[in-house]
Amino acid sequence: MKYFAFLLLPALSFASAWIKEEGQFFLSPSFNYYRAKDFYDKKGNKLPIGCTFEKREVQLYGEYGLTKKTTAIFKLPYAELKCGTDRNSGFGDLELGLIRQIKKGEDYSFSFYGNAIVPMGYSIRDNPRLGYGRLGLEGGLLYGRSGKFGFFDSGVGYRYYFGYPSSQIRSYATAAINLTENIQFLTTLDLQIGLGDGKRKQIGNNVLLEPDYKLAQVYVGPRIMLGNVSLVATYQQVFFGRNTGAGKGFNLSLWWSF
């Protein structure tokens, strides 16, 4: 059996171009399930892992309006991983950051963000691994637009790790179409590109840390809006990759503004 650390795909992030009003909270507990029997090698060929990799993750994401133009954000995941007889569980990386609005119009918002990535004490020698186990920083730009038909939200950022992992370009684009007054259909495209500026590191007989990876995945599903609470269910599918898992899954989340 042979499998790789790059199978640990992150759950969809929430940070958007729209900031919270001063003193307003947003909380989103979510559950993510991901499963893969194959992986993409460095040339993009799909090959068997040698076991069925499964990830069950509970995540809490939150925002708080610090000022009229600044929102504080955090994200903390807890995951259970298994592949064959190997199992691992624990907290992943805590993310703490800020969104700062640059410009706002009647139907659009343009912002920038910055995050710190802090590992929560797990070991990179565990199989499967919960994360890179290194401090990181991420920053980028966010743009959103809304109207009577729904909304569009997007972002692009650069992530840097202090240590062996390569830096990454990370981007997303979400489109929401209003089907009824209380139901939207969501589609999110998530793209990640490892820049290959780190070193390939062997940390065990079966586990490698790859400096270069590429990932493209899509999320689709409904959002049911009930006042200041929304229920969201999406299907997740990886459709392109290099040095990453070729899997699929689903996400269930609650969005609560107060």
Side-chain angles (χ1 to χ4, degrees):
M1 180 183 70
K2 189 174 184 179
Y3 60 92
F4 302 87
F6 48 74
L7 290 166
L8 308 186
L9 301 181
L12 184 65
S13 298
F14 286 90
S16 73
W18 283 280
I19 63 169
K20 292 298 152 191
E21 302 225 354
E22 188 173 358
Q24 185 181 39
F25 285 93
F26 173 81
L27 288 178
S28 179
S30 62
F31 173 78
N32 168 252
Y33 175 77
Y34 173 83
R35 186 172 185 266
K37 291 184 177 180
D38 301 311
F39 71 96
Y40 294 105
D41 68 10
K42 64 182 180 180
K43 295 182 179 180
N45 300 313
K46 191 181 289 187
L47 301 173
I49 298 170
C51 61
T52 298
F53 176 87
E54 290 183 278
K55 175 180 179 180
R56 294 174 176 84
E57 181 182 82
V58 176
Q59 177 180 274
L60 181 62
Y61 173 85
E63 298 181 353
Y64 176 71
L66 290 175
T67 70
K68 292 180 179 180
K69 290 190 175 183
T70 305
T71 292
I73 58 176
F74 77 89
K75 181 172 70 175
L76 181 62
Y78 182 91
E80 293 182 353
L81 312 173
K82 71 175 183 177
C83 203
T85 58
D86 292 325
R87 297 171 182 264
N88 192 20
S89 63
F91 288 102
D93 293 338
L94 171 66
E95 295 189 27
L96 299 169
L98 296 172
I99 303 172
R100 176 73 175 179
Q101 190 172 73
I102 301 171
K103 191 173 182 180
K104 179 183 178 182
E106 193 172 313
D107 59 356
Y108 73 91
S109 181
F110 183 53
S111 306
F112 69 85
Y113 75 96
N115 288 345
I117 299 99
V118 183
M120 297 300 288
Y122 55 82
S123 172
I124 63 170
R125 298 187 179 277
D126 290 338
N127 291 343
R129 288 193 305 113
L130 290 165
Y132 287 124
R134 291 295 183 271
L135 293 170
L137 294 175
E138 181 178 343
L141 298 173
L142 304 165
Y143 176 77
R145 198 170 194 95
S146 62
K148 63 180 181 179
F149 297 109
F151 71 84
F152 173 78
D153 190 37
S154 61
V156 60
Y158 172 80
R159 178 174 288 195
Y160 175 81
Y161 283 99
F162 295 90
Y164 53 79
S166 70
S167 53
Q168 304 161 9
I169 300 294
R170 304 164 72 90
S171 64
Y172 77 94
T174 297
I177 300 173
N178 295 332
L179 301 179
T180 70
E181 185 179 353
N182 299 106
I183 299 176
Q184 289 180 330
F185 180 76
L186 300 177
T187 300
T188 295
L189 178 63
D190 178 26
L191 301 176
Q192 301 174 34
I193 301 174
L195 299 180
D197 52 1
K199 293 183 178 180
R200 197 168 189 257
K201 184 179 178 65
Q202 181 89 30
I203 59 171
N205 292 330
N206 298 322
V207 181
L208 297 171
L209 300 179
E210 294 288 350
D212 183 24
Y213 82 99
K214 295 175 177 62
L215 167 67
Q217 58 185 337
V218 64
Y219 298 78
V220 293
R223 174 192 179 191
I224 301 173
M225 297 173 286
L226 306 169
N228 63 339
V229 174
S230 293
L231 304 176
V232 181
T234 57
Y235 170 78
Q236 173 191 2
Q237 176 74 57
V238 177
F239 62 88
F240 171 82
R242 297 284 190 274
N243 288 332
T244 193
K248 56 189 175 182
F250 66 88
N251 300 265
L252 303 172
S253 61
L254 181 147
W255 299 357
W256 180 28
S257 296
F258 59 98

